Amino acid sequence: MSKNQGLNLERYIKINQERIRSRVLFYSISFHLESEILTKIQQAKQTGSPLDISREFLADVRYSALIDGENGLQTGLTFYTYYWQDGSEEALMRSVISSDGDILHQIQSDCLAEPQFCYQIASAHYWLIEQLLSQLRLGTLLHLNQLAWGLSLVTTAPIVSTNLEKLVQGDPWIWLLPIVMPWLLKLVWQVLLSWLLPTISRWLFRRLLSGLLSANRVEHQMARGILRWLGG
C-alpha cells in the first residue's frame, strides 16, 4: 500500500444507537475487525496511509459526534472495537471521549492474557479513533485565497470593461493595469477577509448547529446537506 493510497474500511465501521428503555440516548461508533483487517491497519500505519472515508459517511459520523439521540448536543463519543474469530464476534475494547476532555479506556480482561494480540487490537483501535477524529474537523468554510481572487476579479472586471476603449487606444504599457490590479486587490481582500473570517465562520457554525437541532424537517435536511458538503 502506497502512502498516498488510503485504507478504505468503511464497511467495517458502524454508527450505532445506544438505547435505554427504547429511548435513543446517544450514538456510538464501532469497529468490526478480523485478522486480515488488523494486518492491513498495521501496513497502513507503517506506510503512513490514511483511513479513506467517503464524504457521505463522514457527514454521518460528524452528525453523530455533534447531536445525541434526543436531538440535543452530544456530550461525548463512544468507540467500540469488536473482533471476529471462530464464528463469533466479541467486544474487546471501549473508549469514551467526553466533550470536556475526559477519556475512559476499557479492555476485555481475556484479551490481556495474550499481550501480542492485545497490542495489535489496541493499536488498531487507537489508530482508527485517531484517523476518524482527525477527519471530523469541518473543512474551512471559506477558502481565503480562492475567495480573495474571486472578489478581486469581480471588482476588476467592471472597471476594465468600462474602460476597454481607452485601453485599446492607449499606451501598450497600460495593459499591465488589468494584470496588476487584480493581484493588488487580491492582497487587499486577503487582509480584509483574514479579519472577518473568524467571525463569519463562528456565525456559520452556529447556524449549522441551529439547523441540525431544528425540529423543522426542511431546515434539518438542509443542515445535514451542508454537513456533507463541508470538509471531506
Side-chain angles (χ1 to χ4, degrees):
M1 181 183 297
S2 66
K3 184 174 181 178
N4 294 327
Q5 182 182 1
L7 176 61
N8 191 322
L9 298 178
E10 198 168 302
R11 59 180 293 195
Y12 301 100
I13 304 174
K14 296 181 180 178
I15 301 172
N16 313 292
Q17 295 180 338
E18 299 287 337
R19 297 175 178 270
I20 297 180
R21 296 178 182 176
S22 76
R23 292 171 58 197
V24 179
L25 294 186
F26 63 95
Y27 297 99
S28 65
I29 297 170
S30 58
F31 310 123
H32 300 262
L33 310 180
E34 55 190 34
S35 177
E36 182 182 353
I37 303 304
L38 287 180
T39 301
K40 289 182 177 180
I41 290 175
Q42 184 61 33
Q43 291 173 347
K45 290 180 62 181
Q46 291 173 350
T47 59
S49 301
L51 182 66
D52 182 23
I53 307 173
S54 69
R55 185 183 291 265
E56 292 75 16
F57 185 75
L58 191 58
D60 291 338
V61 176
R62 284 196 184 110
Y63 179 80
S64 304
L66 290 170
I67 309 299
D68 65 19
E70 296 190 321
N71 205 36
L73 288 178
Q74 184 80 282
T75 58
L77 271 176
T78 301
F79 298 91
Y80 295 94
T81 287
Y82 291 82
Y83 188 73
W84 180 269
Q85 190 175 32
D86 299 329
S88 63
E89 191 178 51
E90 186 176 10
L92 297 183
M93 290 199 68
R94 175 176 179 261
S95 294
V96 181
I97 304 174
S98 67
S99 56
D100 59 8
D102 290 336
I103 300 176
L104 170 68
H105 294 301
Q106 294 176 312
I107 188 165
Q108 209 249 30
S109 57
D110 292 343
C111 186
L112 296 172
E114 303 178 58
Q116 183 61 33
F117 175 68
C118 181
Y119 171 78
Q120 286 182 302
I121 286 290
S123 179
H125 178 80
Y126 296 135
W127 183 80
L128 287 167
I129 292 175
E130 186 273 330
Q131 288 290 311
L132 269 182
L133 292 181
S134 68
Q135 297 186 49
L136 284 183
R137 182 178 62 85
L138 295 176
T140 304
L141 297 180
L142 297 172
H143 297 285
L144 186 61
N145 191 57
Q146 296 176 8
L147 184 60
W149 269 120
L151 291 171
S152 172
L153 293 174
V154 168
T155 308
T156 306
I159 299 174
V160 173
S161 61
T162 54
N163 293 277
L164 188 59
E165 186 176 345
K166 295 179 181 179
L167 289 172
V168 172
Q169 297 175 355
D171 191 291
W173 286 101
I174 205 170
W175 277 100
L176 288 175
L177 285 176
I179 299 173
V180 175
M181 188 184 297
W183 181 76
L184 292 174
L185 284 174
K186 179 249 185 184
L187 297 179
V188 173
W189 277 115
Q190 268 190 319
V191 173
L192 291 174
L193 289 172
S194 65
W195 293 340
L196 297 173
L197 193 58
T199 301
I200 295 172
S201 296
R202 285 193 295 270
W203 179 82
L204 288 175
F205 185 67
R206 286 196 296 268
R207 294 298 302 165
L208 175 63
L209 279 181
S210 176
L212 292 173
L213 295 170
S214 175
N216 184 296
R217 182 177 177 84
V218 175
E219 290 183 6
H220 183 81
Q221 290 301 321
M222 286 179 62
R224 291 290 292 264
I226 293 172
L227 203 61
R228 282 192 293 272
W229 176 75
L230 291 173

